[in-house]
Amino acid sequence: MLKDIATPNRTKEILKKYGFTFKKSLGQNFLIDTNILHRIVDHAEITEETGAIEIGPGIGALTEQLAKRAKKVLAFEIDQRLLPILADTLSPYSNAKVIHQDVLKADLKGMLEQEFENIEDLMVVANLPYYVTTPILMKLLEEQIPVRGIVVMLQKEVAERIAAKPGTKEYGSLSIAIQYYTEAETVMIVPKTVFNPQPNVDSAVIRLLRRPKPAVEVRDEAFFFQVVRASFGQRRKTILNNLVNNLPNGKQKKADIEQALSTAEIDPKRRGETLSIQEFGKLSDQLLKSFR
């Protein structure tokens, strides 16, 4: 019977066999706990009808568990040194395919259409390198990649920011950007002790389920996000101050900003972190009249 990749001994054996050394710049931390991988796959609700997309498979620990349950797994690996290792560790799984490419530069939509023809249920499942977590998530969401959802392990602190509610210190423009497209929930905390090498911080697994339509309907999506970013420019400042200082020509348009806040029934003394996505939607539609 095949031994799972994600055990301390098997991981050590594989690394030794290939003389593999970790690159700090690529944020490589390999999971060595099979139970945690099983739970990640459970949270993604992977079935034999699912196409799984993985980013940064490492030596194939999560890829293996996905391949056991999914119809097909497509994994993107940027580090060329891992390709022969993955060819070896994943050789028992004919439904797993590794692509040597930076996912941030890939034409994902086109590739998924080609690779997952006749597979309706697509899910992203990954242990994301910390340093590129946000750009990867935003690419998946902004490019409207046709997936049911995303289950990823990332830095605990980032997971807290993504799933944060208004009025908390973690809530910010990242929370809004991701909750605009998805329903976000932290499903488990993962201690740093189950990785080789151990990272400096604990991790968390977050599940993002795509909304059928965005959380709020706005007239101009790009402007909505501009207003959100401006509102969190300096966290200790009021919403009025932040908008005046951070929107283009905000100082000249202070009266218009005050009027928009009044029409949207938002107290100008409030801080950005107290506003819900719906309030930001109302506010950006009011401001749009003056900033077109």
Side-chain angles (χ1 to χ4, degrees):
M1 194 175 149
L2 283 171
K3 283 190 291 178
D4 282 333
I5 295 166
T7 64
N9 287 343
R10 177 102 195 271
T11 298
K12 226 176 266 179
E13 271 170 36
I14 294 166
L15 298 177
K16 191 178 171 190
K17 178 179 174 182
Y18 286 90
F20 183 83
T21 51
F22 294 93
K23 262 192 189 169
K24 221 174 180 178
S25 63
L26 293 176
Q28 289 168 331
N29 304 93
F30 300 158
L31 257 171
I32 49 171
D33 187 318
T34 314
N35 289 331
I36 284 174
L37 292 172
H38 289 164
R39 287 174 64 197
I40 291 171
V41 179
D42 287 344
H43 283 302
E45 296 178 352
I46 301 294
T47 73
E48 57 205 27
E49 297 304 314
T50 307
I53 299 129
E54 189 188 4
I55 297 150
I59 58 171
L62 176 58
T63 328
E64 170 181 64
Q65 301 305 329
L66 290 167
K68 286 177 182 177
R69 294 207 219 168
K71 187 165 190 174
K72 181 174 180 179
V73 184
L74 187 69
F76 290 85
E77 180 51 63
I78 198 172
D79 187 351
Q80 194 164 358
R81 302 172 308 146
L82 287 164
L83 301 182
I85 303 180
L86 288 162
D88 177 3
T89 59
L90 299 177
S91 59
Y93 306 101
S94 59
N95 61 338
K97 179 174 178 179
V98 177
I99 292 184
H100 177 221
Q101 193 171 11
D102 180 349
V103 76
L104 289 172
K105 294 175 182 162
D107 166 23
L108 269 183
K109 252 187 177 163
M111 289 175 88
L112 299 187
E113 266 172 39
Q114 201 180 324
E115 296 286 345
F116 292 112
E117 205 184 352
N118 304 324
I119 300 180
E120 301 275 308
D121 182 45
L122 295 184
M123 200 73 187
V124 174
V125 190
N127 171 16
L128 287 182
Y130 290 165
Y131 74 106
V132 283
T133 298
T134 305
I136 288 173
L137 289 177
M138 292 319 296
K139 177 184 171 86
L140 293 168
L141 297 173
E142 286 170 352
E143 291 185 9
Q144 304 280 317
I145 304 302
V147 294
R148 167 166 51 93
I150 301 168
V151 172
V152 287
M153 174 137 52
L154 32 75
Q155 205 169 329
K156 181 169 171 258
E157 184 191 313
V158 178
E160 285 167 351
R161 283 167 53 208
I162 286 172
K165 299 280 180 265
T168 62
K169 70 177 194 307
E170 291 81 19
Y171 183 72
S173 51
L174 180 63
S175 326
I176 293 166
I178 289 182
Q179 291 175 36
Y180 176 81
Y181 296 106
T182 69
E183 291 188 45
E185 180 193 4
T186 301
V187 290
M188 61 193 270
I189 304 300
V190 182
K192 54 190 169 193
T193 49
V194 297
F195 292 92
N196 177 13
Q198 277 192 32
N200 299 324
V201 293
D202 286 338
S203 301
V205 175
I206 196 156
R207 180 170 55 198
L208 309 172
L209 294 178
R210 185 176 273 291
R211 297 177 186 274
K213 55 182 190 182
V216 62
E217 201 177 311
V218 292
R219 289 186 193 141
D220 183 325
E221 211 170 79
F223 183 69
F224 165 77
F225 286 118
Q226 191 180 1
V227 169
V228 169
R229 283 191 299 272
S231 304
F232 288 96
Q234 286 162 290
R235 287 189 76 93
R236 300 184 70 81
K237 293 209 159 164
T238 64
I239 183 97
L240 174 61
N241 269 333
N242 266 327
L243 293 172
V244 165
N245 290 317
N246 300 315
L247 281 177
N249 304 319
K251 288 185 172 70
Q252 293 90 311
K253 295 187 176 182
K254 187 178 179 187
D256 293 333
I257 294 171
E258 287 174 324
Q259 181 56 52
L261 284 162
S262 170
T263 309
E265 299 176 330
I266 294 165
D267 182 342
K269 293 194 186 74
R270 282 173 67 182
R271 288 181 181 170
E273 64 262 33
T274 68
L275 271 70
S276 67
I277 292 186
Q278 287 69 24
E279 286 178 306
F280 274 115
K282 262 165 83 175
L283 178 59
S284 82
D285 280 355
Q286 289 303 325
L287 286 166
L288 190 62
K289 297 166 187 173
S290 315
F291 283 85
R292 268 211 169 97

